[in-house]
């Protein structure tokens, strides 16, 4: 079984910096990616739009130029969201949008995940004019929808957890107050979030990762497969089914965003870095999750290749790639004398069910 698709967009991925950036960009090019949305949680984070990088902050202008250099101009488009902090203001948004560099802003729960200690609580931007300015200028909001600081069952239960809380308590309020704001609910993991997005207006969309379509918390816990540890955490079967229904529906508001996140060290003595690395392997994993065949290849193409760029107003690629139901293996990614371990290798299943070939 073999299917050919236009090159796709990964509308949520982490590339970091220095030699990790070069290696991870190459692994995205290898998997026939036409364009990327490169998350701004670098060190220091991307919290300004124009100008040179400093020791305190990076700018969209400079980080984007670096991503373009590392990819040899091979991506059709690169979006770098602005990392929202307490210093972000309405004027910055207005000017940034005018410059053409600012397409979206990223909300990360303060201290909630990797390099996310710079954010302010979501209410800040509802009250200080930032969301209003974004709405006025057509700047998209990328939301990592988790409430930080919950504990016990409130943090992680089947019917109540950090994401569930966020989609019940904040997102409806944001939508009510800013009805024209375009929002991408990033890497959704729960039925609550999937239902919310499904029932919201056309200005509300969502990305879904391959790991959240394929796995549940049982896969993480059985044998403690820590390469599957990412945030938001993989959830329960009812949630995975809701995500799968959303993705395979072909509905324009659901699209690919891998949240591929490279970590050279995952588990340490005091915990585990959050993030699954799916460079080189994401379309193959998405195909596996869809159980790709004749009957759903159109929905698959919508989800992987078309819906995302349409939502962001990006041009579609006229180059193609092929997915074939044939085993394929990948080595770990070497970065200097360290390694980044792709999710499936880390889970002890080096052979993928689908293989990918590019035509360029
Ligand atoms: O698992 C994650 N990894 N979730 C995030 O929100 C951040 C990401 C990273 O940057 O490693
Ligand atoms: Zn992310």
């Amino acid at each position: 079984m073999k299917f050919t698709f236009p090159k796709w967009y990964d509308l949520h991925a982490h590339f970091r910096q220095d030699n990790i950036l070069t290696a991870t960009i190459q692994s995205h090019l290898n998997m026939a990616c036409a364009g990327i949305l490169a998350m701004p949680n670098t060190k220091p984070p991307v919290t300004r739009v124009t100008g040179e990088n400093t020791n305190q902050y990076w700018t969209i202008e400079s980080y984007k130029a670096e991503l373009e250099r590392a990819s040899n101009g091979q991506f059709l488009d690169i979006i770098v969201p602005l990392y929202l902090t307490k210093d972000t203001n309405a004027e910055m948004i207005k000017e940034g949008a005018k410059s053409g560099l600012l397409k979206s802003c990223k909300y990360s729960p303060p201290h909630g995940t990797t390099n996310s200690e710079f954010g302010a609580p979501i209410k800040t931007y509802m009250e200080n004019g930032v969301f209003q300015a974004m709405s006025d200028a057509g700047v998209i909001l990328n939301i990592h929808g988790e409430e930080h600081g919950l504990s016990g069952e409130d943090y992680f239960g089947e019917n109540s957890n950090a994401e569930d809380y966020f989609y019940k308590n904040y997102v409806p309020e944001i939508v009510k107050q800013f009805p024209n704001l375009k929002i991408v609910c990033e890497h959704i993991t729960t039925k609550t979030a999937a239902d919310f997005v499904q029932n919201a207006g056309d200005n509300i969309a969502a990305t879904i990762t391959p790991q959240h379509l394929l796995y549940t918390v049982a896969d993480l816990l059985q044998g403690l497969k820590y390469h599957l540890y990412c945030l938001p955490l993989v959830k329960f079967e009812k949630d995975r089914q809701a995500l799968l229904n959303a993705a395979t529906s072909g509905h324009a508001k659901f699209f690919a965003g891998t949240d591929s996140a490279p970590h050279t060290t995952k588990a340490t003595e005091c915990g585990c870095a959050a993030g699954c690395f799916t460079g080189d392997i994401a379309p193959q994993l998405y195909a596996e999750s869809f159980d790709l065949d004749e009957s759903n290849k159109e929905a698959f193409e919508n989800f992987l290749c078309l819906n995302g760029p349409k939502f962001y107003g990006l041009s579609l690629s006229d180059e193609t790639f092929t997915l074939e139901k044939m085993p394929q293996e990948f080595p770990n990614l070497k970065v200097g004398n360290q390694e980044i371990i792709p999710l499936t290798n880390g889970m002890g299943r080096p052979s993928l069910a689908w293989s990918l070939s590019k035509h360029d």
Side-chain angles (χ1 to χ4, degrees), residues 294-310:
E294 267 311 318
S295 73
N296 63 19
K297 68 167 199 275
E298 206 176 308
F300 184 78
E301 182 168 332
N302 286 337
F303 174 79
L304 187 73
C305 318
L306 307 179
N307 293 347
K310 279 187 194 152

Side-chain angles (χ1 to χ4, degrees), residues 14-174:
H14 299 262
F15 297 96
R16 318 285 192 220
Q17 52 214 80
D18 305 323
N19 55 354
I20 291 192
L21 183 149
T22 317
T24 53
I25 285 284
Q26 188 54 49
S27 65
H28 261 66
L29 289 167
N30 293 345
M31 60 176 172
C33 209
I36 52 171
L37 184 145
M39 281 299 170
N41 59 336
T42 44
K43 282 182 176 171
V46 181
T47 61
R48 298 284 197 281
V49 181
T50 51
E52 297 292 317
N53 290 340
T54 71
N55 288 336
Q56 276 73 49
Y57 63 79
W58 279 10
T59 71
I60 293 179
E61 188 175 10
S62 300
Y63 190 45
K64 197 175 163 188
E66 197 175 328
L67 292 159
E68 265 155 12
R69 264 195 304 280
S71 57
N72 256 323
Q74 292 180 76
F75 288 124
L76 274 182
D77 232 308
I78 297 174
I79 295 176
V80 176
L82 183 72
Y83 190 134
L84 292 173
T85 72
K86 64 176 184 10
D87 299 323
T88 317
N89 59 51
E91 196 53 30
M92 223 188 245
I93 302 293
K94 215 165 113 188
E95 289 302 310
K98 228 190 275 169
S99 76
L101 281 164
L102 181 63
K103 303 273 187 232
S104 77
C105 296
K106 173 76 186 290
Y107 168 76
S108 290
H111 304 281
T113 182
T114 307
N115 302 349
S116 70
E117 54 274 38
F118 308 95
I122 193 107
K123 284 227 154 80
T124 314
Y125 315 110
M126 296 169 73
E127 289 163 3
N128 70 2
V130 166
F131 284 174
Q132 189 58 54
M134 289 172 62
S135 174
D136 294 344
V139 173
I140 293 171
L141 172 62
N142 309 111
I143 290 192
H144 179 138
E146 285 193 290
E147 171 69 346
H148 180 60
L150 299 175
S151 52
E153 279 287 293
D154 291 335
Y155 175 66
F156 193 80
E158 187 160 0
N159 296 309
S160 62
N161 53 60
E163 180 174 296
D164 207 74
Y165 186 97
F166 200 90
Y167 280 89
K168 284 181 178 151
N169 291 287
Y170 296 116
V171 189
E173 192 51 38
I174 299 170

